[in-house]
Amino acid sequence: MLGLLPLSTSFAAPKRHLGYRVLTPVAGITWPSGWNEVLTGHEFHYASTVSNSAPPLFSATDAACEDLGTTGARAGRALGAFCHVISRG
């Protein structure tokens, strides 16, 4: 919406993304203050990412430990993801 991340999203073919997520930081990203721990999050949205040229932030699994691939994006000091962080792992 603000153009801080090099990605685009769409509601053109809405698909519900719902559930708890375990978010493991992707290797190779230097996090602020050396932060690097697993987080628990929640996702509820209908939009889909159409394109994303930024490196991902997390590897994600659902509550049943099914692999959901990577999620999130980072460009400079801007970080973003559809998941809302609830707590530390």
Side-chain angles (χ1 to χ4, degrees):
M1 290 175 19
L2 294 174
L4 298 175
L5 298 170
L7 59 81
S8 61
T9 60
S10 175
F11 287 99
K15 179 183 174 195
R16 184 172 67 170
H17 302 267
L18 170 69
Y20 290 101
R21 307 290 185 240
V22 175
L23 306 168
T24 303
V26 172
I29 294 179
T30 302
W31 291 91
S33 304
W35 175 85
N36 186 20
E37 59 185 285
V38 175
L39 301 171
T40 301
H42 184 267
E43 189 172 18
F44 180 85
H45 62 90
Y46 290 92
S48 295
T49 301
V50 177
S51 67
N52 180 1
S53 61
L57 295 177
F58 304 105
S59 294
T61 60
D62 65 13
C65 298
E66 294 292 322
D67 183 17
L68 300 175
T70 58
T71 188
R74 178 177 182 166
R77 297 178 76 181
L79 309 172
F82 277 119
C83 294
H84 303 117
V85 174
I86 297 170
S87 67
R88 295 177 180 168

